Amino acid sequence: MNRFRQYFPAPLTALVAGLIVAAIGLVLLIGGLWLAALGGSAYYLVTGVAMIVSGLLLMRGRRLGGWLYAAIVFFTLIWALWEVGGNGWALVPRVVAPVVLLVLVIFAMASLSGRPRRWRLALASSAVVVLLFAAGGAMLGWLNHAGPERSLPGPRWAMADPALMQSGADWPAYGGSYSARRYSPLAQITPANVGKLKRAWMIHTGDLPSSKQVRGTYGAENTPLKVGDSLYVCTPKNIVLSLDPVTGKQRWRFDPRISDDAIPYTAACRGVSYYAVPGAAADQACARRIIFGTLDARLFALDAATGRPCQDFGANGQVDTKIGMGSTPPGYVSINSPPTIVRGVVVTGHQVLDGQDRWAPSGVIRGFDAVTGKLKWAWDMMHPDWTGYPPPGQTWARGTPNMWTIASGDEQIGLVYLPMGNAAADYYSSLRRPAENDYATSLVALDVTTGKPRWRFQAVKKDVWDYDFGAQATLIDYPGADGATPALVLPSKQGDIYILDRRTGQPLTPVGTIKAPGGGVEPAERSPTQIVSLWHTLRKPALTERDMWGMSPIDQMICRIQFRKASYKGFFTPPTSDGRSIEYPGYNGGTDWGGVAVDPVRGVIVANYNDMPNYVRLVPRAEANKKGWAPRDQARGNIGGAEGAGDPQAHTPYAIDVNAGWRLPFTGMLCKQPPYGGIRAIDIATGKTIWDRPLGTARTNGPFGIPSMLPITIGTPNNGGSVVTAGGLIFIAAATDNLIRAIDLRTGKTVWSDVLPAGGQATPMTYEANGKQYVVLYAGGHHFMETPIGDEVVAYALP
């Protein structure tokens, strides 16, 4: 100790400051050497050397060390502004930590001063640092500015809705109607009075996880229905409740008794469907019925008035949709989205658990009679001539693309529009059959009478990025020189938005092709080109090293190293096995199952979106076996976690390991700089952005999972959609900050918000009862979004 003090005689304050500066400098030196060797920025290497010298000088009692560190901070500011300009969030990891450390260095310099009132110098200098922080805070305020904005169009449309039941006083379908516009003509709540919105009632469904393991799978995702004098809600494990829409009081409750082992990746019930039997007497049992699917793949019909199973539907009110599929281990096949009912046919797909086995159960689509529950048709793309159940001794083709999300439908044309997923084993394509390559990651229009495809629109060729369609297509009228064309808006996980003629599937807006990067583990499988929308995309420019982020220069440097080590050739970079590849956007969007909302009067699309990459690696089979990665029915570990994080993809040469959002293992922070999600208004007539805003604050986000409680808009990941109203408001939760908010459709600015009792990863709905407009959200939280799990249904209204 005496020898140490002989070489480093500085006072304690200077000694501690010097040790910290030198230690950080050593880390930056080592990492900076690595980054520079990979062709990255030399800043960290140079700064590391300078900080080591600065720290050693301070420990030796030399004030020169402090001045050297002040110079480092000054040149860091210059370098940061050169790299990212005035982007406030991008400046955070570059300048905040160095400036905070500068305060300690200032006090260390004061301890080395011979002046009797040296503390005055320290305090004055620290005040300068505080001013720098204030300037930085002003920079953060620039985040909400997203370039030039356009005026919101006035009323100019009268779009027809082909649905039998439409939104208004009621909300009779998951998307408002089977046109899926998520629009309400109600206008009682406006930007002028929304500030007075209060909770009208809140109920607990009682459906909460039974264990810690099950908690890691819960995600409600439910949008209630309101028809007549009843509100219908379903819980993560498919308990259906009928509530009084004015008070929230429970009228009836039906529990299908779902076992925990039936839970797939997520325990979720996005919604139920309502059907009124034509010609039935009002007092007849099951004249009005609630039809829904379950996590164990049963299809139920309940009397909407009593909640009792409809005895004329299937066997005692239920149909087993697994019949004809062959082996279906628990959790492999589930229905978590509401069926679409067109011309009396209940059309349903199902979720097949991702990433387990190339020969997982079939993605067959079925149409059932809404009254009897009898199978009317089945579409198995590998057996297009089959019209019903498979012949004896056979099953529907295994491993085919499925529709796990929600269809929309046109009652007049008689088509249902299926957003199709991928063939089993998302990240490996060599074993796929021609029909799978034709229909995967496509929107397929089926004739609801025959179950035969009328047309298809494919967005990705031989998809190995999990870019399946997650969102409902939204039915609109599209303006043209010859008048309005029956059309649909099709958003994608890639961020592209297409408008198609819904009768033929032909694009009505420009579609182009780009050269796609080759390589990966299957170079012969990769298409040299991919299609993109030339009309509108939510996708941001390709990533660069400068887009890497963190809370300090150290974790930003680590992210830069990871970026340089990974394979990244831009959009559609193929996955690799000898190292990581970067997929941007990641599989969570762009647009996922929340879909878009459309104001059919003003002609405006409202789209919330994610803006995050995935950090991906294909893991050779032998290595995956050593890790114990096995299919769900053979699993040697707990289920849950992020999708793709150790999925076995059995019967292919590779498992898959996806770092969803590309997070650092220690702090949990994302490697890409904010924003991670936003919301945008788009003019349908021109495809141009009206406004674009980050969505979500930093209040529940922070390093190591510690909430920062900062009310600063950062733009968080989001799941769930929005509803837009004639009153000029957008209601949305979705973000990870546990807030529901009202956004002014004209400006994109948040004009009201409320803290939810749990995460809000669901789409709100709105209705009228007793002359009052209500807004309702299921606040159930979500394991993937890491928001608090709950069982609350919350209703808001004006006093």
Side-chain angles (χ1 to χ4, degrees), residues 139-466:
M139 289 180 181
L140 290 179
W142 298 355
L143 278 170
N144 284 328
H145 181 70
E149 299 173 359
R150 295 174 173 84
S151 298
L152 183 73
R156 54 179 176 168
W157 247 288
M159 292 187 188
D161 189 337
L164 293 178
M165 301 180 297
Q166 300 172 16
S167 63
D170 289 346
W171 190 268
Y174 174 80
S177 76
Y178 289 130
S179 294
R181 292 173 183 169
R182 294 170 184 81
Y183 170 80
S184 173
L186 299 180
Q188 187 178 91
I189 306 172
T190 69
N193 63 24
V194 70
K196 300 177 182 178
L197 207 61
K198 302 293 183 184
R199 289 189 188 180
W201 53 261
M202 183 177 76
I203 63 108
H204 293 268
T205 68
D207 186 357
L208 288 169
S210 59
S211 67
K212 184 177 181 181
Q213 179 174 342
V214 173
R215 187 177 185 85
T217 66
Y218 258 53
E221 302 182 1
N222 176 248
T223 298
L225 302 188
K226 191 265 185 179
V227 183
D229 63 352
S230 295
L231 191 70
Y232 301 100
V233 174
C234 71
T235 74
K237 287 178 66 178
N238 303 119
I239 299 170
V240 180
L241 297 85
S242 173
L243 308 176
D244 183 314
V246 176
T247 65
K249 183 179 179 181
Q250 181 176 305
R251 291 204 171 113
W252 56 254
R253 179 186 185 94
F254 177 79
D255 186 351
R257 302 192 180 280
I258 304 298
S259 172
D260 284 348
D261 64 5
I263 297 173
Y265 169 64
T266 297
C269 177
R270 293 194 184 98
V272 300
S273 299
Y274 177 88
Y275 182 71
V277 178
D283 58 351
Q284 178 182 329
C286 288
R288 301 178 302 116
R289 53 186 63 191
I290 299 298
I291 301 176
F292 66 101
T294 62
L295 296 180
D296 55 7
R298 290 176 288 166
L299 194 65
F300 277 88
L302 307 178
D303 188 323
T306 66
R308 298 188 186 100
C310 298
Q311 297 304 307
D312 57 354
F313 187 89
N316 299 317
Q318 61 180 289
V319 174
D320 184 356
T321 69
K322 298 187 295 298
I323 295 172
M325 286 192 185
S327 174
T328 55
Y332 266 73
V333 177
S334 62
I335 301 175
N336 55 15
S337 295
T340 296
I341 307 174
V342 174
R343 297 186 177 179
V345 180
V346 179
V347 180
T348 184
H350 52 274
Q351 174 179 294
V352 179
L353 193 63
D354 269 356
Q356 303 304 300
D357 194 320
R358 171 62 187 100
W359 306 116
S362 176
V364 60
I365 309 294
R366 273 77 44 88
F368 297 90
D369 187 289
V371 176
T372 67
K374 291 182 179 179
L375 184 70
K376 294 182 73 72
W377 50 256
W379 177 54
D380 176 350
M381 63 185 65
M382 297 303 300
H383 298 103
D385 296 331
W386 290 3
T387 56
Y389 287 106
Q394 298 190 57
T395 66
W396 282 309
R398 298 184 72 84
T400 53
N402 62 71
M403 182 189 70
W404 56 266
T405 186
I406 310 105
S408 46
D410 189 319
E411 187 78 22
Q412 296 174 8
I413 299 175
L415 295 180
V416 285
Y417 305 99
L418 314 176
M420 296 299 293
N422 212 343
D426 283 307
Y427 298 88
Y428 188 77
S429 61
S430 293
L431 298 176
R432 295 176 191 161
R433 297 157 291 193
E436 293 176 305
N437 285 330
D438 287 343
Y439 286 107
T441 316
S442 297
L443 186 75
V444 178
L446 287 190
D447 186 312
V448 76
T449 303
T450 65
K452 302 299 183 184
R454 185 83 62 84
W455 57 258
R456 66 181 174 87
F457 176 84
Q458 187 170 54
V460 181
K461 303 172 187 175
K462 294 191 176 182
D463 181 3
V464 287
W465 301 273
D466 199 9

Side-chain angles (χ1 to χ4, degrees), residues 205 207-209 215 218 220 236 757-759 778-782 787-792:
T205 68
D207 186 357
L208 288 169
R215 187 177 185 85
Y218 258 53
Y778 194 129
H782 207 287
T787 54
I789 303 300
D791 68 338
E792 291 88 355

